Amino acid sequence: MTEKSPKKEKIPRQPMPEQDPQIRKRNFEEVPLGYTKELAVKEAERCLHCKNPSCMEGCPVSVDIPGFIKNIKEGEFSKAVRKIWERNALPAVCGRVCPQEIQCEGRCILGRKGDPVAIGNLEKFVADMEREHGNGELPPKSDPTGKRIAVVGSGPSGLTVAGDLILKGHEVTIFEAFHKPGGVLVYGIPEFRLPKEIVYSEVNTLEKLGVKVECNTVVGKTVSLDELFEQGYDAIYVGVGAGLPRFLNIPGENLTGIYSANEYLTRANLMKAYLFPEYDTPIVRGKDVVVFGAGNVTMDSARTAMRLGADRVRIVYRRSRDEMPARSAEIHHAEEEGIEFLLLTAPTRFLGDENGRLTGVECLQMKLGEPDESGRRRPIPIEGSESKLECDMAVIAVGAGANPLLTKSTEDLKINKWGYIVADLETGKTRKKGVWAGGDIVTGQATVILAMGAGRKASDSIHQYLTWGW
Amino acid sequence: MFEILERQDMADGTVVLNEISAPLIAKKAKPGQFVILKANETGERIPLTMADTDPNKGTITIIYQIVGKSTALFKSLQVGERFQDVIGPLGEPTHIEKLGTVVCVGGGTGVAVLHPITRGMKKIGNHVIAIIGARNKDLLILEDKMKTASNELHVCTDDGSYGHHGFVTDVLKDVLEKEAVKLVVAIGPVPMMKFVCSVTKKYKVKTLVSLNPIMVDGTGMCGCCRVSVGGKTRFACIDGPEFNGHEVDFDELMQRLQAYKEQESVAYEKYLHE
């Protein structure tokens, strides 16, 4: 009997090596370990190099994805990262936190019948190679224009604007309210998902290019937008983020042991409270923790609580699994680490002891009705379904609103009824001459890459303005 | 930036004054506003309401009591050394206006915060009666400055070692009996502010208090400093730090201030042994 030679086997998507869930759930080290060179090249070989690459259409900053993947295939890792830099100053960040499954990878043609190319993993790989082994060669800068730009906020959109405009020959100063730059990348996203050293390294690259970073400057308080113009800045980009925590507005919310996600994560990440008492900022180490919400920040909070020694962490969400806004990878990681999900459950009241410490939360069961204005099915309480969950710590991670600090001090900066800055979505131009805005303070809470996309559009518009006028 | 130019031990070494170089903050700050300070890389962000500013010299002054590791660390900084980070001015300034007779009540290091407000109230043309108190004579601060800043000064000590023997509220009651007071400003330990408010409520005199909850960012981002005022949750960092004292839930504030009591004593013990 003769056998036909088997068809050339397709290369499967190369899985990302990860820390074992049972080990990682008690440490703050990064979960994915990263591709080796071999894995990266093998994964890159899967790319079909489509003539009209739809992956690029899915990228808010239009990175030349097939281009950098081709570089990887050829072993030209340094070229690959420079290809990404043409459109994206923060590949080490984006490779880690972008929702690739609904962007580039979601459009990959291979995904129609199987698994898409692991674009995010490859981006992370080349950015890490460059940071650890690169030649440090910086991208070329245009001749100095003598124009000065103030960037307010050092989160993803501010860093993008700074990176773009410094390369075009302008002088750029970033003003940051916190004592360290990076915005949500350092106060919000945990170490195990985005090591802070990576953010500082990206900021450091911008500084090498000539960007000045002024921390401890609360624009709106320490200095106003108009005073920045008086100081000689020609244009201002406002990318201060959403930055106003939402609470549940139910009784007992001010008991001790209840945190907003912003506070909990800022203590743990920026202030390094997980290293207390080596670091001075304390944090409650809950044993029985409840986290409200279902977004990426909810997953981050729950996984942080687990790493801080909780015996049990439960995520409480009033809708069902299908409506959860978090990335599927984050939900999967949380489940692997033993986080429990209580779906169709809504809190009605917090309970505390005589010292004002949290002891539990009363909840109601919900069922789903017709879709609401968000397009998701509206949760409806089921009468008589009250139950009590015991807990000694709770984190409220149900989103953020617009922080009023800057807009309150700038009367001619038009805001909408929710407090977000009114800006042209194509250019980022606000109603105040010489001022652009983008990211969460315009759109409401969104993702890192969308903020970067807004920054990219604004920097193009600012450059045009500095060259041609308003 | 943030170099310590002047340093003074007060109240038997339990309280310290630092005059810090911070030109941008000094230029902008108004009475009632606060700064957040961090001593070093591993330090905690500590909010302190400013005791004074000198825009010409480019300095701000803070006066703080040593209550734990972070303030002990602040105390260890000498003239010529620096705070790693100082952020401000934060919060809303005191609304200083001409009203008539104003009573300024201060206890402990609250007197330091009260001083620029008292001065401002007098300067704008109010008749200012100041009442300050401490546990004993040695712990009393800024008596001379408060004398100059006010039209009339009463001093109280809990143990009777100086001035009136008793609490600031005793003297306050006498004043409220005799005078038509338009406004009381009370700044000090939470129990003191609570008792002042229960007195002024009876006399129906509007009372401002300056709150000192635990904070992290101080810019409205984290909600750590939330306080219940008139049944609503407000953020002391952006809505305050001053509020209508008759509406503040002081018991909740006291409980929230105790949130990290155990960790704070662990950190302080460790610091004292190192």
Side-chain angles (χ1 to χ4, degrees):
Chain A
M1 208 165 75
T2 56
E3 260 184 63
K4 280 183 189 166
S5 63
K7 229 170 94 184
K8 190 193 168 203
E9 202 159 320
K10 273 194 199 150
I11 307 170
R13 177 171 162 125
Q14 300 302 300
M16 170 63 82
E18 287 176 349
Q19 267 200 84
D20 181 86
Q22 290 311 310
I23 295 170
R24 74 177 192 235
K25 70 189 242 190
R26 296 299 188 201
N27 70 46
F28 277 84
E29 280 150 47
E30 198 176 4
V31 170
L33 301 169
Y35 275 167
T36 58
K37 282 183 197 173
E38 292 70 27
L39 281 177
V41 171
K42 205 167 170 191
E43 182 62 30
E45 280 170 356
R46 298 180 64 227
C47 178
L48 302 177
H49 296 284
C50 309
K51 228 180 207 161
N52 297 307
S54 37
C55 52
M56 283 180 68
E57 290 165 20
C59 175
V61 294
S62 312
V63 166
D64 179 358
I65 294 166
F68 92 80
I69 293 182
K70 182 164 177 286
N71 294 144
I72 296 177
K73 204 191 282 184
E74 291 161 355
E76 300 271 14
F77 306 133
S78 172
K79 268 192 192 160
V81 79
R82 278 161 181 79
K83 179 64 79 185
I84 302 176
W85 280 350
E86 288 171 11
R87 300 296 304 169
N88 179 348
L90 311 170
V93 173
C94 290
R96 287 169 166 84
V97 304
C98 268
Q100 289 98 4
E101 65 280 7
I102 57 164
Q103 295 176 345
C104 52
E105 294 182 21
R107 304 285 189 93
C108 175
I109 199 100
L110 287 184
R112 289 192 194 164
K113 280 190 169 169
D115 293 321
V117 175
I119 300 166
N121 292 347
L122 290 173
E123 184 181 28
K124 167 173 150 58
F125 167 78
V126 289
D128 290 352
M129 281 293 284
E130 178 65 22
R131 190 177 64 257
E132 286 157 18
H133 311 288
N135 57 17
E137 194 189 308
L138 296 169
K141 266 171 78 171
S142 306
D143 291 335
T145 62
K147 302 287 186 187
R148 295 172 66 201
I149 296 110
V151 174
V152 184
S154 64
S157 80
L159 293 177
T160 300
V161 171
D164 281 358
L165 293 176
I166 197 82
L167 290 182
K168 295 200 161 98
H170 308 300
E171 279 179 44
V172 183
T173 305
I174 301 179
F175 296 97
E176 166 58 44
F178 267 127
H179 55 275
K180 288 237 192 303
V184 71
L185 305 173
V186 299
Y187 76 72
I189 302 177
E191 186 77 13
F192 54 85
R193 218 148 67 76
L194 177 63
K196 301 303 147 246
E197 282 316 310
I198 288 170
V199 182
Y200 298 140
S201 156
E202 305 267 34
V203 174
N204 193 250
T205 304
L206 292 180
E207 287 181 304
K208 279 187 201 152
L209 283 165
V211 173
K212 289 193 203 98
V213 182
E214 301 276 0
C215 288
N216 298 326
T217 310
V218 186
V219 175
K221 285 285 183 185
T222 316
V223 64
S224 69
L225 292 187
D226 288 326
E227 284 166 330
L228 288 175
F229 282 125
E230 283 162 25
Q231 288 175 21
Y233 287 97
D234 299 289
I236 299 174
Y237 178 75
V238 177
V240 294
L244 184 77
R246 285 225 178 92
F247 285 92
L248 297 166
N249 298 315
I250 59 173
E253 204 155 24
N254 294 345
L255 291 164
T256 59
I258 303 175
Y259 287 110
S260 74
N262 270 0
E263 181 187 354
Y264 187 62
L265 293 174
T266 301
R267 284 180 180 271
N269 299 324
L270 178 75
M271 303 312 295
K272 294 198 187 297
Y274 68 94
L275 298 174
F276 179 88
E278 278 69 45
Y279 279 73
D280 295 342
T281 303
I283 195 163
V284 174
R285 287 178 174 253
K287 284 290 166 200
D288 200 350
V289 178
V290 171
V291 184
F292 301 98
N296 291 325
V297 176
T298 316
M299 304 303 138
D300 286 347
S301 303
R303 297 171 72 196
T304 297
M306 186 58 92
R307 282 159 175 78
L308 285 168
D311 295 327
R312 176 163 67 170
V313 180
R314 292 180 283 185
I315 287 176
V316 171
Y317 181 45
R318 61 195 182 122
R319 303 182 203 243
S320 77
R321 184 117 196 169
D322 292 342
E323 288 83 24
M324 290 176 81
R327 290 181 67 191
S328 56
E330 302 305 330
I331 298 171
H332 175 67
H333 275 144
E335 278 183 325
E336 279 187 334
E337 290 165 12
I339 313 266
E340 298 165 35
F341 290 81
L342 297 181
L343 303 172
L344 292 167
T345 308
T348 51
R349 181 160 82 102
F350 287 107
L351 307 165
D353 65 14
E354 67 282 3
N355 296 317
R357 285 192 189 262
L358 176 70
T359 56
V361 56
E362 266 183 18
C363 295
L364 270 181
Q365 292 305 302
M366 312 296 271
K367 61 183 178 195
L368 291 181
E370 294 300 308
D372 60 16
E373 63 277 10
S374 75
R376 296 176 297 176
R377 293 180 64 191
R378 184 194 299 276
I380 302 166
I382 301 174
E383 255 181 69
S385 66
E386 289 86 356
S387 65
K388 186 192 156 188
L389 299 179
E390 282 186 17
C391 58
D392 59 358
M393 199 191 102
V395 182
I396 297 160
V398 295
N403 187 305
L405 203 146
L406 175 75
T407 49
K408 232 169 90 177
S409 74
T410 318
E411 278 168 12
D412 48 351
L413 197 63
K414 193 170 167 12
I415 56 175
N416 66 19
K417 63 175 171 175
W418 299 283
Y420 296 110
I421 297 175
V422 174
D424 185 306
L425 288 180
E426 284 314 304
T427 62
K429 270 186 183 178
T430 68
R431 304 285 173 86
K432 185 172 165 69
K433 193 183 173 200
V435 179
W436 281 255
D440 286 2
I441 192 59
V442 172
T443 58
Q445 203 175 18
T447 59
V448 167
I449 189 70
L450 285 174
M452 291 177 63
R456 160 65 31 77
K457 285 175 183 167
S459 64
D460 288 346
S461 172
I462 293 171
H463 180 65
Q464 268 184 12
Y465 165 71
L466 295 175
T467 318
W468 305 105
W470 183 251
Chain B
M1 267 205 288
F2 314 138
E3 183 183 341
I4 297 176
L5 302 180
E6 290 275 345
R7 189 193 170 289
Q8 196 188 320
D9 282 324
M10 305 167 92
D12 246 359
T14 60
V15 173
V16 173
L17 175 151
N18 286 151
E19 189 180 352
I20 304 162
S21 166
L24 291 177
I25 302 172
K27 206 168 99 185
K28 275 296 184 78
K30 296 201 171 72
Q33 289 189 298
F34 68 95
V35 286
I36 283 189
L37 305 102
K38 186 165 154 292
N40 57 24
E41 187 60 29
T42 55
E44 195 181 359
R45 291 167 67 98
I46 300 291
L48 286 172
T49 303
M50 286 172 273
D52 213 347
T53 57
D54 186 337
N56 296 324
K57 217 169 143 193
T59 62
I60 61 169
T61 300
I62 50 165
I63 295 178
Y64 51 91
Q65 192 184 354
I66 315 307
V67 291
K69 178 181 173 179
S70 292
T71 40
L73 196 60
F74 287 6
K75 186 187 178 180
S76 74
L77 297 173
Q78 300 303 316
V79 170
E81 293 186 304
R82 286 156 204 277
F83 282 88
Q84 185 167 306
D85 303 289
V86 182
I87 302 108
L90 300 171
E92 292 295 317
T94 311
H95 191 60
I96 290 179
E97 57 181 332
K98 189 171 174 187
L99 297 161
T101 300
V102 173
V103 180
C104 294
V105 187
T109 45
V111 176
V113 176
L114 190 67
H115 172 245
I117 298 169
T118 310
R119 193 173 54 192
M121 286 292 182
K122 184 181 168 189
K123 200 175 161 194
I124 209 164
N126 292 299
H127 178 74
V128 180
I129 301 170
I131 308 168
I132 59 172
R135 284 211 311 280
N136 61 50
K137 184 174 192 274
D138 294 336
L139 298 180
L140 194 71
I141 60 166
L142 300 180
E143 186 190 354
D144 291 345
K145 285 198 161 183
M146 284 302 286
K147 199 170 223 165
T148 321
S150 61
N151 299 93
E152 188 183 325
L153 177 72
H154 301 267
V155 179
C156 313
T157 52
D158 297 1
D159 68 350
S161 52
Y162 187 62
H164 171 82
H165 183 176
F167 300 117
V168 288
T169 40
D170 305 338
V171 179
L172 176 63
K173 270 182 213 160
D174 292 345
V175 172
L176 292 174
E177 283 293 337
K178 286 181 214 148
E179 311 250 355
V181 176
K182 293 287 185 210
L183 177 75
V184 172
V185 182
I187 305 177
V190 181
M192 185 210 91
M193 293 192 285
K194 183 184 170 182
F195 289 126
V196 165
C197 288
S198 69
V199 170
T200 58
K201 225 175 195 170
K202 277 182 209 145
Y203 290 87
K204 297 192 174 71
V205 179
K206 189 183 167 189
T207 304
L208 278 183
V209 292
S210 179
L211 305 185
N212 59 337
I214 302 173
M215 289 187 188
V216 182
D217 64 289
T219 60
M221 203 204 77
C222 83
C224 175
C225 66
R226 57 195 192 273
V227 286
S228 294
V229 183
K232 285 195 182 123
T233 293
R234 309 287 299 276
F235 292 174
C237 67
I238 51 170
D239 301 324
E242 288 173 12
F243 292 101
N244 176 352
H246 293 167
E247 296 192 334
V248 170
D249 184 341
F250 288 106
D251 295 333
E252 180 188 277
L253 174 64
M254 275 187 261
Q255 286 177 334
R256 289 187 64 79
L257 282 166
Q258 302 290 313
Y260 299 101
K261 211 178 167 193
E262 284 160 38
Q263 288 99 320
E264 281 162 7
S265 63
V266 167
Y268 198 20
E269 286 296 314
K270 190 168 169 278
Y271 176 75
L272 293 176
H273 283 96
E274 270 164 12

